[in-house]
Amino acid sequence: MKAAVVRDFTQGPKYETDYEVPTPKQDEALINVTAAALSNRARSDADGSHYAAEGILPMIPGVDGVGTLANGKKVYFVGNGSFAETVAVEKGHWVTIPSGLDDVKIAGLMNPALSAWMALKYRAKFKRGQSVMILGATGNAGSMAVQIAKRMGAKDIIAVGRNTNKLAELTKLGATQTIALTDDADAVKTALGTAGTEIDIVLDYLWGDVAANAMWAIIPKRKEESQVLKWVEIGSTAGATAPIPGAAFRAVKLQLIGSGQGSVGVLAIIKSFKAILKAEKQMPFEFTTKAVGLSELEDAWHEKNPERLVFVPNK
């Protein structure tokens, strides 16, 4: 079969046309892939850096996608090796896609949508009427987080990021306030402190020094020290570690929570997938994708695109 194959973690995936079709185990089924997105998780698996990567070569990257079962049913699935024509997926690790939805869009948006959905519903235990700040709101996942927070009933949504043009667009998607991470550190500190006085939840896609600086901007300005501040670490695009002194946890009711693979059970993840698909069917999310033929993967892998890249089988 045709597939993107990694044989050396330092070289990235290469397109191959005669890779062996997977043999499903007793608890697996074969799915013919129609679309699979290039997520940050897929990238880190391909270079062996993700904390859940097995490190076994050769391997086919890709952790999820859209495809069809042997009975013709269209599904969204989670399973390693999706950058191929066919993938073996553990039974129960897929959900049926409602009719009328686009394969490429669903493949692209599900992973970033899941990050916000799980973080809010299952990790932060979000309640309607609470206020949410999103660090890294101008990325694909952050943009989905703004829309999902709005649909869940957030009172205020503060979008924080570097791309000022994208921040302006987020006000149309539900952000009630935006803060640009500019070079003026004092201005950023003041803006974060003012906006964070009554925030209930921070969805953090950045981490690193950005998270630490944001905490020190917000914590001294809290209106009520007794109000819980739930800080949910989802991504670390600004740094793998954050220098957070212990005093941050003593000054206010700060709860630091992680959200990702391993922190939420499979059943909750499946429920989230179904809820996201239902929400997309009822009122489509704003989300842009770019379909790329699987044979073009090597060139597209290093492109910098605002859209989510989605690989599709070549005809």
Side-chain angles (χ1 to χ4, degrees), residues 202-219:
V202 175
L203 299 185
D204 186 356
Y205 291 91
L206 301 178
W207 202 232
D209 289 339
V210 176
N213 291 337
M215 283 188 191
W216 280 120
I218 293 170
I219 288 173

Side-chain angles (χ1 to χ4, degrees), residues 7-313:
R7 297 186 180 276
D8 184 332
F9 285 128
T10 66
Q11 296 183 7
K14 306 295 182 183
Y15 179 67
E16 299 186 11
T17 59
D18 58 354
Y19 199 81
E20 185 177 357
V21 176
T23 300
K25 300 176 183 177
Q26 186 174 4
D27 61 345
E28 294 179 334
L30 290 180
I31 294 178
N32 293 319
V33 182
T34 58
L38 178 55
S39 61
N40 289 333
R41 168 64 196 279
R43 286 185 185 276
S44 58
D45 270 359
D47 64 20
S49 65
H50 194 271
Y51 64 86
E54 296 179 353
I56 301 173
L57 296 174
M59 59 89 72
I60 299 174
V63 295
D64 63 350
V66 173
T68 55
L69 296 167
N71 60 9
K73 181 180 293 185
K74 183 70 64 67
V75 297
Y76 168 78
F77 65 87
V78 175
N80 293 328
S82 60
F83 292 170
E85 290 183 303
T86 305
V87 62
V89 178
E90 186 176 344
K91 293 178 180 178
H93 285 205
W94 63 71
V95 292
T96 301
I97 296 177
S99 61
L101 299 185
D102 179 71
D103 291 16
V104 171
K105 184 181 181 185
I106 294 302
L109 72 78
M110 285 295 277
N111 183 279
L114 179 67
S115 71
W117 200 283
M118 288 196 312
L120 286 171
K121 184 172 180 63
Y122 294 103
R123 301 300 288 151
K125 307 297 184 183
F126 173 83
K127 296 179 181 179
R128 178 175 290 274
Q130 289 187 314
S131 297
V132 179
M133 177 180 287
I134 302 165
L135 297 182
T138 55
N140 285 313
S143 174
M144 288 299 298
V146 170
Q147 297 179 69
I148 288 171
K150 179 182 179 181
R151 295 192 187 199
M152 286 188 176
K155 176 185 177 182
D156 292 304
I157 303 170
I158 293 94
V160 184
R162 296 190 184 281
N163 188 324
T164 54
N165 291 331
K166 188 63 180 288
L167 283 173
E169 295 174 6
L170 291 177
T171 60
K172 303 174 185 177
L173 300 181
T176 56
Q177 183 180 345
T178 62
I179 298 174
L181 293 174
T182 65
D183 292 332
D184 188 338
D186 290 336
V188 173
K189 181 178 180 180
T190 298
L192 288 171
T194 301
T197 56
E198 296 183 84
I199 287 293
D200 297 291
I201 298 167
V202 175
L203 299 185
D204 186 356
Y205 291 91
L206 301 178
W207 202 232
D209 289 339
V210 176
N213 291 337
M215 283 188 191
W216 280 120
I218 293 170
I219 288 173
K221 300 294 184 180
R222 295 290 283 174
K223 187 174 182 179
E224 296 290 341
E225 294 179 356
S226 61
Q227 183 183 7
V228 176
L229 174 61
K230 296 182 179 180
W231 200 287
V232 189
E233 199 279 335
I234 306 172
S236 53
T237 59
T241 60
I244 303 169
F249 296 91
R250 300 191 298 270
V252 296
K253 286 191 174 181
L254 174 64
Q255 295 181 6
L256 183 58
I257 305 166
S259 184
Q261 183 178 352
S263 64
V264 179
V266 173
L267 182 59
I269 292 174
I270 294 298
K271 287 182 177 180
S272 297
F273 287 148
K274 292 179 178 179
I276 293 165
L277 288 170
K278 181 179 179 180
E280 169 67 13
K281 182 70 174 181
Q282 292 175 338
M283 185 173 66
F285 291 103
E286 290 290 332
F287 192 84
T288 57
T289 58
K290 179 182 178 180
V292 177
L294 191 60
S295 65
E296 303 170 59
L297 175 141
E298 293 177 45
D299 292 331
W301 192 264
H302 301 290
E303 289 182 4
K304 299 294 183 181
N305 291 288
E307 310 96 345
R308 175 59 60 99
L309 292 183
V310 178
F311 298 120
V312 297

